Amino acid sequence: MGLKIWLDGKLVDQEDAKISVFDHGLLYGDGVFEGIRIYNGHVFELDAHIRRLYESAKAIRLAIPISSEELTGAVRETVEANGLSDGYIRLVVTRGAGTLGLNPFICKRSSIFIIADKIQLYPEELYEKGMKIISATTVRNHPLAIPPQAKSLNYLNNILAKIEALDSNVPEAIMYNHEGYVAEATGDNVFIVKDGVIFVPPVEAGALPGITRNIVIKLAQKENLQVVEKNLTRFDLYVCDEFFLTGTAAEVIGIVEIDGRMIGDGRPGPITCLLRKKFFEYAHGKEK
Ligand code: PMP
């Protein structure tokens, strides 16, 4: 049996969940989205995701045609209709069907759809052994071009960096901003540890304000670990003691090599493992 998709106010069968070829989401990547986890039947950090979605929409002058309360209800309804207790939700708002011109204001009504499905996980081995990555040559979007804080449907910047990673036979790449500072990975935020202190690039360096990032920072502080937001260079990544990425899909994953430089002793470090464990407990320990 296929999935039930929430599309513009109704739950429909997967085969009937269709979007116009004139939708500017498809024609121009004009729209916004969220990726959200379901843990133990609980939609993880739904309020934070809904808030970020409305902020992304505001940044691109996209009016979401329903209230955040209605949208929150729609997400829960979709999860229930698909009987999921662990999984992944893709919540998408497109500009809607318009003409072949760029003008977004001709599009009468944006489309909203919600997919709730099982999640494709990275193999457990990757978490145990840690991941090897590279630095991308593709520079992160300039903040005055497409604000990296907005989670828009226009992901070509990240996709070009991802292709560089895949060409090098690794799953992820670090993206640097126009000034050469670390921005983020193609779909995850960056953390490093040096001499017991955790360093994270500020969001203004060109990162999405990751919801996992926020939680991991809080969990680290709860463990009395010092977290410093600071611009990081490629050199900082090369000589750090520990390195990990955070994101909704990847959760907390250790990095053990970048551009052929081994990190620490080549295994995920103790702070990485501690925070991965704390994140797991936090995500799974919540009430329904
Ligand atoms: N950066 C980018 C570019 C992303 O796409 C994501 C994943 N949505 C993240 C960071 C991590 O954000 P979050 O923890 O909210 O999933």
Side-chain angles (χ1 to χ4, degrees):
M1 226 180 59
L3 298 172
K4 289 281 183 199
I5 312 291
W6 194 96
L7 174 62
D8 293 330
K10 287 196 290 281
L11 281 166
V12 298
D13 290 335
Q14 188 174 325
E15 303 74 42
D16 301 322
K18 294 195 174 122
I19 289 277
S20 165
V21 292
F22 287 97
D23 194 305
H24 282 204
L26 177 61
L27 288 176
Y28 299 118
D30 186 353
V32 293
F33 76 104
E34 283 295 321
I36 312 168
R37 279 267 198 166
I38 313 159
Y39 291 111
N40 298 344
H42 179 87
V43 182
F44 188 61
E45 297 295 317
L46 181 54
D47 290 350
H49 283 283
I50 294 283
R51 189 190 155 108
R52 187 170 70 185
L53 183 79
Y54 277 81
E55 288 185 353
S56 297
K58 184 174 186 185
I60 69 159
R61 301 263 316 264
L62 172 62
I64 299 180
I66 62 174
S67 70
S68 57
E69 291 77 18
E70 286 170 305
L71 193 50
T72 300
V75 170
R76 296 197 195 285
E77 193 187 335
T78 313
V79 171
E80 238 167 69
N82 289 284
L84 290 162
S85 62
D86 286 278
Y88 182 83
I89 300 160
R90 178 57 55 89
L91 166 55
V92 182
V93 186
T94 72
R95 185 73 70 175
T99 64
L100 292 179
L102 279 182
N103 185 348
F105 302 126
I106 278 174
C107 306
K108 286 202 184 64
R109 196 175 197 279
S110 65
S111 262
I112 306 176
F113 60 88
I114 307 167
I115 306 167
D117 201 355
K118 295 197 181 67
I119 183 160
Q120 297 283 326
L121 300 169
Y122 277 140
E124 188 55 36
E125 203 197 357
L126 204 56
Y127 290 94
E128 278 154 26
K129 290 196 173 159
M131 193 155 76
K132 295 181 180 179
I133 60 172
I134 57 150
S135 291
T137 62
T138 305
V139 169
R140 185 77 179 108
N141 283 330
H142 192 291
L144 294 178
I146 299 175
Q149 288 106 316
K151 197 165 167 60
S152 87
L153 288 181
N154 195 315
Y155 252 53
L156 265 183
N157 183 222
N158 312 56
I159 290 165
L160 292 179
K162 182 85 172 183
I163 288 171
E164 291 186 54
L166 298 174
D167 281 348
S168 302
N169 292 316
V170 294
E172 255 295 359
I174 297 300
M175 302 183 77
Y176 298 83
N177 67 20
H178 57 285
E179 293 178 309
Y181 293 115
V182 174
E184 58 183 340
T186 69
D188 295 309
N189 290 110
V190 169
F191 285 67
I192 61 169
V193 181
K194 180 79 174 168
D195 298 329
V197 178
I198 298 173
F199 293 95
V200 282
V203 165
E204 305 89 83
L208 187 78
I211 287 161
T212 320
R213 173 186 185 273
N214 275 350
I215 287 169
V216 169
I217 289 173
K218 286 201 186 103
L219 292 172
Q221 287 166 339
K222 237 170 124 185
E223 294 303 306
N224 291 321
L225 292 162
Q226 195 189 347
V227 183
V228 178
E229 276 199 50
K230 178 175 158 320
N231 270 325
L232 301 176
T233 62
R234 188 178 299 193
F235 179 80
D236 294 324
L237 304 185
Y238 288 171
V239 301
C240 68
D241 303 325
E242 294 187 41
F243 189 163
F244 59 93
L245 303 179
T246 65
T248 293
E251 300 174 314
V252 177
I253 187 155
I255 302 301
V256 293
E257 188 183 304
I258 177 164
D259 301 336
R261 279 81 168 173
M262 198 188 356
I263 305 298
D265 65 359
R267 284 173 302 179
I271 293 179
T272 305
C273 295
L274 173 73
L275 291 174
R276 173 159 174 77
K277 179 168 162 278
K278 292 286 164 194
F279 181 80
F280 182 92
E281 289 167 2
Y282 180 81
H284 291 266
K286 288 202 147 184
E287 298 288 293
K288 260 195 184 185

